[in-house]
Amino acid sequence: MSLKSVAAKIFAKRIAKKNTKWILNPHKAQDEVFKTLITSALNTQFGKDHDFNSIRTHSDFVQHVPIRDYEELKAYVEKIIEGISDVLWPGKPIYFAKTSGTTSGAKYIPITESSIKNQVEASRNAILNYIYETGNANFVNGKMIFLQGSPVLEEKNGIKLGRLSGISAHYVPSYLQKNRLPSWETNCIEDWETKVNEIIKETENEDMSVIAGIPSWVQMYFEKLNSKTEKKVGELFKNFQLFIYGGVNYEPYRAKFESLIGRKVDSIELFPASEGFFAYQDSQKEKGMLLLLNSGIFYEFVKADDFFSENPERITIKDVELGVNYAMIISTDAGLWGYNLGDTVQFISLRPYKIIVSGRIKHFISAFGEHVIAKEVEEAMRQAIEVTDAEVSEFTVAPETTPKEGLPYHEWFVEFERAPSDMDKFCETLDLVMQKQNSYYFDLIDGKILQQLQITQISKGGFQNYMKSLGKLGGQNKVQRLSNDRKVADALQPFIL
């Protein structure tokens, strides 16, 4: 065992012991975060506007600080962009994470010195936790690749801005720099296809042990490696041991990945965003991610079914229940207050607090009152793949409310790497699993309001070409898993097989 491996194990044990303190005292950890956030921001413009001086409890906070999304926080962010200090958080942020917006174009999410520190520590701790749990530290000796956005940063009034993954590239620990690929020059390439081709040149003859990125884009890298070398990834990289991912559910991709790799490898799921690092997978034996309760983020939860009502109830971790779909609301040490992240989560454990990401609060199908969420369609796809010989590259789901004939239905747009030999069985499995998970969907099928879902096949590479047409190829961009209208469905028409 190398010196680096031994050191990693010692460090992992130390961090695990440190984390145990807040894991065993979760409510205390969140109370301390809450008090620190409020006290720190008392003299900011936001703190004065919302009378932080009078906030003592969560109930006080709910009365003074409404739930906001980016559009409603934008006026404060614009003041920071203009160069004003002490707006949302003391001083100025050191970065803006630039993300795709909705109605306002680009969004600029502030990142402070303390929030980036928490992001970096969470990323590190996810890997150290894996080492502590499994005892495996050999991978630290091999090469590691993080498929991410360009680290080239712009500047606005002294504040640097870029993609979160590009910002994070500046914080890779020195002891990993020698192991890290691709080169800085390749990482700076903006065009995703060109970048992946250069990454392949730099990595195909290296001893890769860790590969990280959003599954859909790592899949593209693996496919190009297979095509160029005519070898499985696991054969090419004999010491490839760990896949680290976030952003989307890995399960619909797992069978395809294992086919491309040629064997199973361990994986760690992360839940990072520009707004903060919220959770990571803490066990190879259990599903779910450990919610990080001492990392500068105070959490509130609103039942997704009630979210769009006039005064939805906001609760803390003390009152959450297992299996309920919650919209996650955050307040952070970057100055986001009562911020609607847009993601929905479900708790699968309360000791410790562990979650799964179930979808997006605005991404669902309820054209007929069924309120189907991403977690349900992804589970249905996982089971359909499991019981057939299909391999799926990508998919999305939309309602067809006015078919040319017959009853309405859910239309699944699927890009197969290998189509099932029995398409009827594949469709039937999808539909039955959906009915089992969602009683509203079952009632609509049973009551002859909807007919069984239908598959529309997308040509190979179709989803990549669709994302390219949107200018969203690679990086942190993800295919929208489902929608309540036909916008994505209509945009996919040129790519139908």
Side-chain angles (χ1 to χ4, degrees), residues 346-453:
Q346 291 181 8
F347 283 87
I348 63 168
S349 169
L350 303 183
R351 292 184 181 181
Y353 285 96
K354 294 175 70 168
I355 60 171
I356 58 172
V357 179
S358 52
R360 298 280 293 171
I361 193 65
K362 292 182 179 179
H363 294 173
F364 56 86
I365 300 177
S366 199
F368 310 94
E370 63 274 42
H371 206 85
V372 167
I373 60 175
K375 172 183 173 290
E376 293 166 347
V377 299
E378 288 172 340
E379 176 60 19
M381 180 60 78
R382 185 191 70 79
Q383 291 196 35
I385 291 171
E386 192 174 84
V387 301
T388 66
D389 55 350
E391 285 186 12
V392 172
S393 298
E394 190 59 88
F395 74 99
T396 190
V397 189
E400 176 53 85
T401 57
T402 55
K404 293 181 180 178
E405 57 183 47
L407 296 172
Y409 55 89
H410 285 184
E411 186 172 11
W412 291 53
F413 295 85
V414 184
E415 180 182 333
F416 290 102
E417 178 65 23
R418 182 175 67 233
S421 55
D422 188 341
M423 185 65 78
D424 289 340
K425 182 180 179 181
F426 186 84
C427 288
E428 183 181 358
T429 303
L430 283 177
D431 207 72
L432 289 175
V433 176
M434 286 301 305
Q435 291 181 50
K436 186 176 180 180
Q437 293 181 99
N438 188 306
S439 60
Y440 301 109
Y441 184 74
F442 171 82
D443 289 342
L444 290 165
I445 295 289
D446 190 55
K448 302 295 189 292
I449 305 298
L450 294 179
Q451 62 173 302
Q452 177 181 289
L453 63 84

Side-chain angles (χ1 to χ4, degrees), residues 86-152:
D86 304 323
V87 178
L88 291 168
W89 192 254
K92 295 180 182 179
I94 56 175
Y95 299 105
F96 281 120
K98 187 177 180 181
T99 69
S100 300
T102 51
T103 59
S104 64
K107 297 196 300 185
Y108 296 93
I109 306 298
I111 296 178
T112 61
E113 188 172 350
S114 57
S115 69
I116 191 64
K117 179 185 176 187
N118 282 322
Q119 290 249 14
V120 172
E121 285 188 357
S123 300
R124 178 203 68 189
N125 289 353
I127 298 175
L128 291 173
N129 180 86
Y130 170 82
I131 292 173
Y132 179 73
E133 183 200 11
T134 64
N136 176 24
N138 293 331
F139 64 86
V140 301
N141 300 304
K143 297 290 185 179
M144 306 179 184
I145 185 170
F146 300 88
L147 292 175
Q148 57 193 188
S150 171
V152 175

